[in-house]
Structure formats: structure tokens, C-alpha cells
Amino acid sequence: TSCNEPNDLGMNLLPSTDLIEINNIVEKNSISSYTYTEDAIRTDEATRSLLGIFDDPVFGRTTINFASQFRMQYTPNYGTNPEADSIMLYLYYRYIYGDSTTTQRINVYELNENLIVDTTSASGGTYDYPYYQNVDLKSMASSEKIGEIEFVPEIKQDSVYGDTLYQLLKIPLNISLADKLVNADSTHMVNNDQFLEFFKGLYFESEKDAGQGGAIISLEAAAGSNFQGSALLVYYNNAENKLKASPDTLYYPYVISKFSARVNSITHDYSGTSFYPNLNTETGNDSLIFLQSTGGLKSKILIDNLIQWRDSANTAINKAELIFQIDSVISEVDKYAPPSQLLLLAINEEGKEYIPIDYYFSPLFYNGRLNSQDYTYKFNITQHLQQIIDGETENYGFFLSTARKNSEANRVVIKGHNSHTGIRLIITYSKFLQ
């Protein structure tokens, strides 16, 4: 309060020029990108199980098969002299990816080998039995087909709320399986562990004619809090029911619960695609990169000029944003929805992937979500770049892949380095002047 001109206080102590210079650059020329096949992904107990064959015009053929356990809800009581009438499999799905006009076939087989889920030992330890996409489910099943269905996948929405409705595949199975279950000895039904030794589950094999088309359906297999899940229903009769004036329709359900082992096997055939000759190589800088979930494709991203920032003394990174632009024409985004989120992982000196520090600061800040307005994916790697400048980490590049690898079938084509809207790194930084 003793100063007559408080705004001038201390001004004679400051230099006449700015102490901090703020700059913004766009790095494109040092960025290179290459398409690689994904490492095998885990496919057990996914949020949604996938099934079907899709001959993609850009990405080639994807084939996904499925196997699952069915569990007792309670100990069945089939009564006196039970007789099996029929057995029906009910599979529900809500979403499809691909062509909704192509007829597909599902063949059903009984499993001969156990599927194993995570178990807990008597001492409390957990034993993990992961299944990966290259699991040979067919070798675990009987060679005798017990059911099949031909269908054209469809999607329907609620006319009021717009919600996607559940669709049903109703598959009649061979009566021999119903006879097996109805006449099972009581020792096989003491609990689900004993029952799963007796009836190990079913294997579902996808089949379609050659040529483009087909689709991958997302099964709503396991029961949840607001959905009963897919199930196997045995319809039967017994002596007590035959004595009634109006006999009941008797049935018993075996369900896919959250405790059931659920496994996908997934294969990809890229032999006829445009990117196949350069797949898994770094012989040229790809003008387009291809990303696909279901253990399909990822991209290696190298930014050579990052190392030069290490020599930039008195520099602080305000923001570093890596931007990927979808090629909406080749991707056919109106027909094939892009992944809702991508994942950018840094590479260490051993070639292994790790999550950049920016993700731990805030997943929302790190980003990677699809911007449906301009069809871009953006990643904030501000702190990661600062670590490179400070010498705390080395620059070995990144791997870009889909975030939801085992529960959705989406794919996308990204513009590479050599276009106006290709991969670009926008850096805003402060330079402290001496």
C-alpha cells in the first residue's frame, strides 16, 4: 500500500526481452510406419465371444470358431423313466461386423477334451490356464457333427429407443446328446466339476462358401445381471408327466455362465491383400498402414527426429500430440466401422512393448479414442517425449494397435507418412533463454 505505482515494482530487475520463447512445430518427414501381424492374443472369457467367417475386400479372410462349457443351474431331476424328446441350442447375438447378406453355416460338435478356466488351489493360490487364438479347438472335439444351421446374420433395433435387439440362433442337435444328459448317472451330477468331466461342452465351427462377404457375429454367450445368456435345453417326458390329463412340456437348461470356459480360435489369411508383400518388413515406408483386432494387424511407428530433442537444452515440452488420420475411402467407414479406440505402446531396447507414462498420468489425456467428426485418433505423449529429452528413456518407436483385441472384429486403414494428412506429431514447447 506504500507504493504509488505498484505495476512498475521490480521492473528494473527484469531483462528487457522475454525469458521464455514458446514454439510450435509439426513433425512429419522423420516418421515412418510399417504393418505387422499381431502377437497371438488371449481369447478365453472375453467380454463377447466371436463367431463366423468374414472375407474382407481389403484385409482378407478371418475365421473365428468357438468352444464353451455348459453348466447346471441346479441338480436336475428327470423323474421316473425319463425319455428325451429333443435338444435345442439357443445362441444369442446382438452385433455383426461385415456383410449382412451372406449365408453362413455353423457346425456343432461335442468336446472330447476339457476346457480349463482359472482355478484356485486349497492354499488359495490361483493357477492360470490361458488360451490363445492359435488354440486347436477342432482337435479337442469329436469328429461326429451333432448339429448345424445355415443363417444370414441380421441386426434389428428397437423402434422407440434405438437399442440393438438380441437375435437368436436356434439350432436342433442330435437326440443322442439329449439321451446322454437325461440318462446321466447321479454321480455325474453331484456338482458342476463332476458334470463337466461328463459333458465337456460344445465346439462351434464356422463355414461359408468361397468369395467375399460373410460376417463375424458377437455372441452374447455368458449370462449377466440383466440377460439369461445362451443355453442348451433338453426337452423330455417321464412317467409322472404321462399320467397327467394335460401333460406339461418338460425341459431342463444347461447354461453358459460367467464361470464357464469360453474360448475362440482365430486365423487370418492375408495372402491376397495389397499389403501382404511388405507385411512384417521394414524395407519400405508404408503410405498406408492396416490395423485389425482379433489378433490381426498392428503398425510399427518410428520417429527418428525425437532423439535430436535430447540436445535441446533448457527446453520443456508443453504438449506433444501424435495424430493418425483414417483413410475413410479405403476403410469404407460407412460400411465397416473403425475401432472405437486404438492403443499406442512404446518399445524398449529388448523390443518389448510398454505403456507410456502419459497413460498413467491420465488415460483420458493419453486418449486414442476415435474422433468420428474428422476420423482421427490422437495420442498425447508429452511426458514420454520429455523423458527422452531428459535422457530417462530411449526412443525405439511405438506399436499402434486396436484396444479391444478379443471382443470386437473392427479394422481400419490409416494414412501413412507421405500425405498432407498422414501421421504427424505436433509439438508445443518452451525454450528458456539464457
Side-chain angles (χ1 to χ4, degrees), residues 25 67 80 84 141 170 278 311 313 334 355 361 400:
I25 67 167
T80 306
K170 186 177 179 181
N278 295 325
D311 299 326
D334 293 333
I355 300 175
F361 172 73
L400 179 69

Side-chain angles (χ1 to χ4, degrees), residues 301-376:
I301 310 296
L302 301 177
I303 311 175
D304 294 335
N305 277 358
L306 287 187
I307 195 64
Q308 297 179 9
W309 287 78
R310 182 164 295 177
D311 299 326
S312 302
N314 301 324
T315 298
I317 304 300
N318 302 99
K319 187 175 184 180
E321 192 172 50
L322 191 58
I323 302 174
F324 298 92
Q325 178 70 55
I326 294 176
D327 190 315
S328 57
V329 176
I330 297 178
S331 294
E332 295 186 82
V333 293
D334 293 333
K335 188 175 182 180
Y336 307 116
S340 57
Q341 187 170 16
L342 299 184
L343 184 64
L344 184 73
L345 299 178
I347 305 172
N348 65 16
E349 60 184 352
E350 298 175 349
K352 297 181 178 180
E353 304 170 10
Y354 67 95
I355 300 175
I357 188 174
D358 298 88
Y359 177 87
Y360 297 104
F361 172 73
S362 168
L364 291 177
F365 175 78
Y366 173 72
N367 205 346
R369 295 177 301 279
L370 172 66
N371 184 329
S372 58
Q373 301 300 314
D374 60 3
Y375 288 110
T376 60

Side-chain angles (χ1 to χ4, degrees), residues 75-141:
T75 303
N77 180 8
Y78 285 109
T80 306
N81 298 324
E83 299 174 355
D85 287 337
S86 62
I87 182 168
M88 199 69 65
L89 177 67
Y90 295 89
L91 288 180
Y92 290 91
Y93 69 95
R94 292 178 70 187
Y95 305 103
I96 69 171
Y97 197 82
D99 177 17
S100 60
T101 64
T102 306
T103 299
Q104 295 205 57
R105 180 182 299 107
I106 296 176
N107 300 317
V108 185
Y109 304 84
E110 185 178 353
L111 288 173
N112 287 334
E113 296 182 24
N114 289 314
L115 293 174
I116 304 175
V117 293
D118 297 352
T119 58
T120 303
S121 69
S123 60
T126 298
Y127 296 90
D128 195 21
Y129 294 90
Y131 289 95
Y132 293 87
Q133 68 187 79
N134 53 5
V135 59
D136 187 0
L137 295 176
K138 189 176 182 65
S139 69
M140 301 172 63

Side-chain angles (χ1 to χ4, degrees), residues 41-294:
I41 62 168
R42 282 192 65 163
T43 60
D44 49 332
E45 286 74 74
T47 306
R48 289 189 178 94
S49 299
L50 305 176
L51 182 63
I53 298 178
F54 179 26
D55 283 297
D56 191 300
V58 177
F59 285 75
R61 169 170 281 207
T62 295
T63 302
I64 306 182
N65 300 317
F66 174 60
S68 180
Q69 293 175 333
F70 291 78
R71 301 171 67 93
M72 300 184 299
Q73 291 183 301
Y74 51 87
T75 303
N77 180 8
Y78 285 109
T80 306
N81 298 324
E83 299 174 355
D85 287 337
S86 62
I87 182 168
M88 199 69 65
L89 177 67
Y90 295 89
L91 288 180
Y92 290 91
Y93 69 95
R94 292 178 70 187
Y95 305 103
I96 69 171
Y97 197 82
D99 177 17
S100 60
T101 64
T102 306
T103 299
Q104 295 205 57
R105 180 182 299 107
I106 296 176
N107 300 317
V108 185
Y109 304 84
E110 185 178 353
L111 288 173
N112 287 334
E113 296 182 24
N114 289 314
L115 293 174
I116 304 175
V117 293
D118 297 352
T119 58
T120 303
S121 69
S123 60
T126 298
Y127 296 90
D128 195 21
Y129 294 90
Y131 289 95
Y132 293 87
Q133 68 187 79
N134 53 5
V135 59
D136 187 0
L137 295 176
K138 189 176 182 65
S139 69
M140 301 172 63
S142 167
S143 59
E144 181 180 354
K145 183 165 59 176
I146 60 173
E148 65 179 0
I149 186 175
E150 288 191 351
F151 71 104
V152 177
E154 60 180 342
I155 291 294
K156 293 182 179 179
Q157 291 185 322
D158 185 280
S159 59
V160 177
Y161 299 102
D163 294 336
T164 302
L165 302 175
Y166 290 98
Q167 302 300 312
L168 174 63
L169 294 178
K170 186 177 179 181
I171 309 174
L173 302 183
N174 193 294
I175 193 66
S176 61
L177 179 57
D179 289 335
K180 173 179 176 175
L181 295 172
V182 166
N183 296 303
D185 190 274
S186 60
T187 58
H188 297 311
M189 297 181 290
V190 174
N191 53 45
N192 269 307
D193 289 339
Q194 293 296 321
F195 176 71
L196 291 173
E197 288 293 328
F198 173 68
F199 174 56
K200 298 174 174 56
L202 297 175
Y203 165 61
F204 305 91
E205 181 182 56
S206 303
E207 186 180 342
K208 67 177 282 292
D209 295 332
Q212 291 186 4
I216 305 299
I217 62 175
S218 297
L219 296 175
E220 302 289 340
S225 58
N226 57 357
F227 177 66
Q228 62 184 8
S230 297
L232 182 67
L233 266 64
V234 176
Y235 295 91
Y236 68 98
N237 208 342
N238 58 29
E240 293 84 355
N241 195 49
K242 290 178 181 179
L243 294 175
K244 294 181 180 179
S246 299
D248 298 323
T249 299
L250 304 178
Y251 64 90
Y252 180 84
Y254 299 90
V255 301
I256 302 177
S257 79
K258 63 180 181 179
F259 302 108
S260 299
R262 308 178 303 280
V263 182
N264 278 128
S265 64
I266 308 173
T267 58
H268 298 281
D269 182 4
Y270 303 117
S271 58
T273 62
S274 62
F275 56 82
Y276 183 72
N278 295 325
L279 189 59
N280 295 325
T281 67
E282 297 179 24
T283 55
N285 195 349
D286 294 345
S287 60
L288 296 172
I289 54 177
F290 301 81
L291 304 176
Q292 183 184 33
S293 58
T294 64

